[in-house]
Structures are given as C-alpha cells and as structure tokens.
C-alpha cells in the first residue's frame, strides 16, 4: 500500500522560504515520477513540479526560478524548496506519484502572509 506523507508547511512572510518534505512508503521511489501539486481555495489543483527517476525536474510557470524539487531515493523522500514566496503561493500542497489518477498525500498547508 502506497503512502505519501507531507510535512514542512506553515505560515511564512512574503519573500520567505519553506522546505516541504514527502516521505513515501509501499513503493520504490527511484522507479517513479514524483510530483508536487497545490490547490488554493476556490481554485483548481495545479501542478507545481515533478521530478523523473533520473532526477530531471519540470516546473509550473508560476514557480519557475523560485522553487526547486529534489529527491533522495535512499530516504524514499521528495522535497520542495520554496524561495521568494508570494501570497499567491498560499495553498494546500500535495505530494503525488502517478499523476492525477495516482497516489496522493494528505496535503500540507502553506500560508504566505504578512
């Protein structure tokens, strides 16, 4: 049974940084594309970033140059370093594998506000 558990969310001021972590179990992380999505109140869920088994990242346009996705296959974990945070980054962030029809974590709230 695949389980994804996110952590690291919280309240941060605009311009600040946060690092999200996703711990996976029940799967071989190194064989799978891993991703982060987010959903803000009243908005559709959107792709934030993905990382391939070989470590190649892709990013949504709104986070390019500010966010960095990484993975540690030995620790079965995926990370999202978020810098220069903006109020519009406020959302619940979800860890994912397998795309829209795949497996999801429970989400972690990120709030960017002064």
């Amino acid at each position: 049974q695949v389980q994804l558990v996110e952590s690291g969310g919280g309240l941060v001021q605009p311009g600040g940084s946060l690092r999200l972590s996703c711990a996976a179990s029940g799967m071989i992380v190194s064989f799978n594309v891993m991703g982060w999505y987010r959903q803000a109140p009243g908005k559709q869920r959107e792709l934030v970033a993905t990382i391939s088994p070989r470590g190649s990242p892709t990013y949504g346009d709104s986070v390019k140059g500010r966010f960095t996705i990484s993975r540690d296959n030995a620790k079965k974990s995926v990370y999202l370093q978020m810098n220069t945070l903006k109020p519009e980054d406020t959302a619940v962030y979800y860890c994912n594998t397998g795309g829209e029809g795949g497996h999801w974590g429970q989400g972690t709230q990120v709030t960017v506000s002064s």
Side-chain angles (χ1 to χ4, degrees):
Q1 180 179 354
V2 175
Q3 283 193 316
L4 302 173
V5 180
E6 302 98 334
S7 61
L11 173 64
V12 63
Q13 291 187 340
S17 298
L18 280 175
R19 187 188 192 217
L20 305 184
S21 299
C22 172
S25 60
M27 61 177 289
I28 301 175
V29 170
S30 59
F31 289 177
N32 292 275
V33 175
M34 304 295 296
W36 287 95
Y37 290 71
R38 68 186 182 186
Q39 188 166 22
K43 294 187 177 181
Q44 288 189 328
R45 186 163 55 197
E46 65 170 336
L47 173 69
V48 176
T50 64
I51 187 165
S52 74
R54 292 188 176 184
S56 298
T58 63
Y59 297 97
D61 288 341
S62 61
V63 306
K64 283 180 181 177
R66 300 188 298 123
F67 290 11
T68 302
I69 189 171
S70 62
R71 63 195 298 158
D72 185 331
N73 292 333
K75 294 183 177 180
K76 297 184 178 181
S77 294
V78 181
Y79 307 99
L80 186 68
Q81 178 66 43
M82 305 185 295
N83 297 328
T84 319
L85 283 160
K86 305 175 181 180
E88 51 264 43
D89 294 317
T90 295
V92 178
Y93 284 70
Y94 297 93
C95 183
N96 167 271
T97 185
E100 288 287 345
H103 300 280
W104 297 88
Q106 82 287 351
T108 186
Q109 176 71 46
V110 172
T111 302
V112 185
S113 175
S114 55

